[in-house]
Amino acid sequence: MKPLIGIIMGSDSDLKVMQETAKVLGEFGVEFEITVCSAHRTPERAHEFAAGAISRGLKVIIASAGGAAHLAGVMAANTTLPVIGVPIDWKLNGLDALLSTAQMPPGVPVATVGIDNGKNAGLLALQILGTADPDIANKLARYKTTMADSVNKKAEKLEKEGYKKYLENK
Ligand code: RP5
């Protein structure tokens, strides 16, 4: 099966966060590419990755970077595929990366998830694929039900035990 999602990281040091993206895509059985490519250190490679993404069969690109986080923006500048940006907490608690990733000029959007939220990037990519793939959409619906069940169980336990006992048994 051809990969549908491209995960591209500004550095292998982003992998500690981006493994969560890979993990959630794996849980849904969706093929992905994963590689390292820097907007600043390897600019030609970054351009090639984005420009060739459609012909490789990718449907969504997820790009992570910390600091002056321009990788997702460079991807969006060079493809019409949807690009999801993951700001990495490298300096300044990730605020620099969040703003660099999100504050794109009108005409070149990057869908930016929270700082270090690799998991949400994976889920958002799956939701994009789910608009055209009923199997993925059904799995996403089940995922939400499981999540709701888990919160409901916690609420029930807290209401029954009271907060002190709940914290003791946590
Ligand atoms: C960014 O600079 C990378 O995405 C990484 O988050 C940060 C630091 O990179 P390394 O010095 O660890 O390679 O471009």
Side-chain angles (χ1 to χ4, degrees):
M1 276 241 305
K2 269 188 169 180
L4 297 176
I5 295 176
I7 303 175
I8 185 164
M9 301 175 289
S11 168
D12 63 343
S13 61
D14 295 351
L15 197 50
K16 61 187 184 305
V17 168
M18 298 309 289
Q19 63 180 325
E20 294 302 323
T21 311
K23 213 184 284 175
V24 77
L25 297 180
E27 281 166 18
F28 278 75
V30 169
E31 297 289 326
F32 57 90
E33 293 177 350
I34 183 162
T35 191
V36 174
C37 178
S38 164
H40 308 116
R41 294 165 174 160
T42 59
E44 290 86 7
R45 189 169 134 73
H47 177 269
E48 276 163 26
F49 184 95
I54 291 176
S55 57
R56 288 202 306 285
L58 296 185
K59 302 292 179 206
V60 184
I61 294 176
I62 300 173
S64 72
H70 298 140
L71 187 59
V74 167
M75 292 296 115
N78 288 290
T79 183
T80 54
L81 290 178
V83 175
I84 301 170
V86 184
I88 301 290
D89 176 7
W90 173 59
K91 301 283 182 191
L92 304 177
N93 297 320
L95 197 56
D96 47 358
L98 174 64
L99 298 177
S100 309
T101 306
Q103 291 289 72
M104 290 296 290
V108 191
V110 167
T112 306
V113 296
I115 297 165
D116 283 352
N117 207 330
K119 184 175 187 173
N120 268 4
L123 286 168
L124 183 54
L126 289 164
Q127 287 177 328
I128 292 168
L129 295 183
T131 59
D133 184 326
D135 185 43
I136 295 176
N138 288 336
K139 283 182 184 165
L140 283 162
R142 282 202 296 275
Y143 180 88
K144 276 201 182 293
T145 306
T146 306
M147 205 163 43
D149 285 347
S150 144
V151 175
N152 287 335
K153 266 191 203 122
K154 286 177 188 172
E156 197 182 317
K157 189 167 181 275
L158 175 60
E159 287 164 23
K160 197 170 135 203
E161 295 180 352
Y163 82 95
K164 283 185 188 160
K165 197 165 170 225
Y166 184 90
L167 282 174
E168 277 165 21
N169 297 336
K170 211 162 187 277

